[in-house]
Amino acid sequence: MINSILSVLLLLFSVNVFAAESAAERDARMQWWREARFGMFVHWGLYSGLAGTWDGKPVATKGGMEWIQQRVGADTDTYAKHAIPLFQPKPGFAREWAKVAKAAGAKYVVLTSKHHDGFALHDSKVSEYDAGSVLHRDLLREFVDAMHAEGLKVGFYHSVIDWHHDQYEYAKSKQLPHPLKGKPYPNAQRDHAKYVEYLHKEVDELMSNYGKVDVLWWDFSSVDFQGEEAWKAFELMAMVRAKQPNIIMNNRLFRIPEAGFTGMGTNAIAAQLDPKYGDFITPEQHIPATGMPGVDWETCMTLNTTWGYSEHDHAWKSDETLIRNLIDIASKGGNYLLNIGPKGDGSVPAESVKSMQAIGAWMKVNGESIYATKASPFEKLEWGRATRKDLKGGRTRLYLHVFDWPKDGNLVLPMASTGKTQARLLAGGKTLKVATADGKTTIAVGPTAPDKIASVITLEFDGQGK
Ligand code: GLC
């Protein structure tokens, strides 16, 4: 009784503490994330060593192989017996990831501290299904140290779904996945409150023992099991915020419209988010058709079709797709969280390294047109995308990303530019001739595209334009 009164008081207190954050304070907290625009996701765990193969056979050639335990319907003992011998992180694996992220131009890296299989990558006191107990290593510490050495911000993806815990009552949801779904609990009776207590303790370790954590990326809830009922979500968030006041969290402890979800399925997104449910919404594997004014959002995406490594998935996206996705997202005011799935030894597949390097080469020349920019003022541009920066003295700079170079060498913008207009090629800074007439601005860009994937032209003028 006293306990429950105490926890209600704690909850009220914590919710109020957070409600006290002003819009200006929130903007300050979100600033680095909004400016970053580009992060790297890392899905890595026991499933990585299995690589999409079970008992010598491919489980699939497409789709998330971090779900392999569920796909083959294995209980934790069976899964662990198959997977643990194949999960052998080599020394210095995280330094390799940090170099990949840095070279790509990503500003933050989010790693799966625990995926749905329940195996934690840190050294946990509350679990024996963790890297500390099984490998005598704290892989999360190695990760954090390596990212910090490269000046990258760190985030933890933490699954609230747990396929290993013996008190996790998977029958409470018809919608959330579980390898034993539809089967009776092997241990007869379960008490979900005990699982929730464990979840909170494990997250407490993550928030207490690794210095400053910049992002906490929850995954995930269903319409029929979410929020307070499923995870004591408000108390969990309050604890996290008390330990990490500047942390940025996503919305996936919930699955209601006020938290950005209209239902199940990755496309069931509502363009709204009450900050009490989190800081940003998470379109998965797709880019929303338009921007979402007033809502922070981040599209997460794979380089092929799986999050966790699979030796059978060769459906790699082209450099053109990846770079244009990053531009498209920035032009709509969102972030791109692009995933690598390292192998069981922690090495990054060569194809992924190549893709990330290609993005990095483009960003090295054109990064200014992505970082710290705002959404395009244009709903649609026939030839590409635009981002925007407000300059001193009321001037505006547009970054025009040209995907389809104009055949006649004249780039036309549906806007009359207003005063002291200047156009340049971003790469190299060459000045270009501009003319305005009939509500249109025409830039003489010459006959050939300097960059086949996306050439960037800057256009500066007094006022806001349009
Ligand atoms: C999904 C999947 C998961 C993946 C995540 C990334 O919710 O369950 O495997 O980690 O999306 O967004």
Side-chain angles (χ1 to χ4, degrees):
M1 181 64 180
I2 292 201
N3 262 352
S4 60
I5 292 174
L6 276 179
S7 66
V8 167
L9 281 177
L10 175 73
L11 179 64
L12 287 175
F13 176 70
S14 356
V15 168
N16 280 338
V17 164
F18 180 56
E21 187 182 47
S22 69
E25 284 164 343
R26 177 155 198 278
D27 286 345
R29 185 166 59 80
M30 295 299 292
Q31 189 180 348
W32 75 262
W33 187 92
R34 289 176 182 160
E35 291 182 354
R37 284 289 175 255
F38 182 34
M40 186 171 91
F41 216 171
V42 186
H43 275 68
W44 190 58
L46 291 186
Y47 45 83
S48 309
L50 290 168
T53 302
W54 189 258
D55 281 341
K57 289 186 206 79
V59 172
T61 54
K62 295 267 165 67
M65 282 300 109
E66 71 289 350
W67 280 43
I68 190 166
Q69 181 188 356
Q70 184 263 2
R71 295 288 293 269
V72 300
D75 61 23
T76 291
D77 284 350
T78 310
Y79 172 69
K81 229 175 262 157
H82 282 70
I84 287 175
L86 300 171
F87 187 60
Q88 295 185 8
K90 60 179 180 182
F93 69 90
R95 287 200 294 277
E96 186 181 327
W97 303 354
K99 286 201 184 88
V100 171
K102 185 82 179 184
K107 298 289 188 188
Y108 59 108
V109 183
V110 180
L111 168 65
T112 47
S113 47
K114 180 188 92 169
H115 206 270
H116 306 336
D117 66 5
F119 185 82
L121 295 187
H122 71 297
D123 181 3
S124 176
K125 298 277 169 287
V126 297
S127 177
E128 282 175 7
Y129 199 50
D130 66 316
S133 311
V134 174
L135 298 170
H136 312 292
R137 274 166 85 175
D138 188 328
L139 301 171
L140 207 58
R141 169 121 28 234
E142 295 182 36
F143 164 75
V144 169
D145 290 349
M147 298 307 133
H148 283 163
E150 294 286 349
L152 295 158
K153 301 229 184 247
V154 297
F156 301 155
Y157 160 113
H158 203 73
S159 174
V160 289
I161 295 171
D162 193 303
W163 296 338
H164 106 285
H165 198 275
D166 65 5
Q167 298 302 314
Y168 181 92
E169 284 191 55
Y170 54 84
K172 280 190 183 274
S173 168
K174 290 201 161 48
Q175 296 167 325
L176 292 179
H178 195 283
L180 306 182
K181 203 169 174 145
K183 297 193 180 141
Y185 299 136
N187 50 344
Q189 274 228 307
R190 293 190 168 195
D191 177 0
H192 195 72
K194 290 206 176 114
Y195 167 69
V196 170
E197 194 183 314
Y198 161 84
L199 167 68
H200 285 219
K201 282 194 184 143
E202 197 162 60
V203 171
D204 192 330
E205 293 178 336
L206 300 178
M207 296 299 104
S208 307
N209 302 337
Y210 299 87
K212 188 163 180 276
V213 181
D214 301 292
V215 173
L216 187 46
W217 216 100
W218 305 110
D219 203 30
F220 68 83
S221 302
S222 56
V223 172
D224 71 358
F225 201 51
Q226 57 98 37
E228 268 313 278
E229 185 201 358
W231 330 112
K232 278 199 176 179
F234 289 124
E235 209 177 290
L236 187 55
M237 290 174 79
M239 180 269 283
V240 167
R241 287 217 157 91
K243 304 231 159 182
Q244 299 279 345
N246 290 312
I247 203 162
I248 294 174
M249 280 185 264
N250 77 355
N251 61 340
R252 290 195 180 181
L253 289 177
F254 302 90
R255 200 134 196 150
I256 49 175
E258 300 88 310
F261 289 104
T262 54
M264 296 302 291
T266 49
N267 280 313
I269 294 271
Q272 58 176 25
L273 179 61
D274 181 328
K276 78 174 186 214
Y277 300 113
D279 297 307
F280 64 97
I281 69 176
T282 50
E284 182 174 322
Q285 299 285 36
H286 75 278
I287 302 173
T290 59
M292 300 184 222
V295 183
D296 291 294
W297 59 277
E298 179 193 66
T299 282
C300 53
M301 217 182 258
T302 47
L303 286 171
N304 45 4
T305 76
T306 178
W307 300 97
Y309 177 66
S310 165
E311 58 198 348
H312 312 295
D313 188 330
H314 307 295
W316 301 99
K317 294 184 178 66
S318 68
D319 296 345
E320 178 179 290
T321 298
L322 296 169
I323 291 168
R324 289 186 177 179
N325 279 348
L326 175 58
I327 296 167
D328 188 25
I329 289 168
S331 82
K332 292 168 177 167
N335 281 14
Y336 199 23
L337 186 66
L338 192 56
N339 182 72
I340 59 165
K343 301 180 183 180
D345 66 355
S347 63
V348 184
E351 294 88 342
S352 307
V353 174
K354 248 179 83 215
S355 300
M356 295 306 260
Q357 282 171 348
I359 298 174
W362 187 88
M363 285 292 269
K364 204 161 183 201
V365 178
N366 301 295
E368 185 196 321
S369 71
I370 301 292
Y371 301 127
T373 57
K374 295 191 174 142
S376 170
F378 307 100
E379 228 155 77
K380 203 172 179 222
L381 291 168
E382 295 305 327
W383 39 257
R385 301 287 183 277
T387 55
R388 199 187 90 232
K389 265 183 202 168
D390 300 325
L391 306 181
K392 284 202 195 94
R395 275 174 80 74
T396 298
R397 182 184 300 145
L398 296 179
Y399 294 95
L400 310 175
H401 299 91
V402 189
F403 297 171
D404 299 314
W405 198 255
K407 291 204 175 58
D408 65 357
N410 287 318
L411 189 75
V412 181
L413 197 65
M415 177 199 88
S417 49
T418 42
K420 299 207 189 120
T421 304
Q422 279 176 357
R424 286 177 200 281
L425 211 54
L426 181 58
K430 185 179 156 210
T431 305
L432 305 171
K433 275 212 179 94
V434 204
T436 283
D438 305 330
K440 285 184 183 149
T441 299
T442 303
I443 309 168
V445 293
T448 36
D451 188 312
K452 279 198 192 69
I453 293 178
S455 313
V456 184
I457 286 149
T458 63
L459 186 73
E460 260 183 56
F461 44 83
D462 286 343
Q464 300 279 298
K466 286 263 280 178

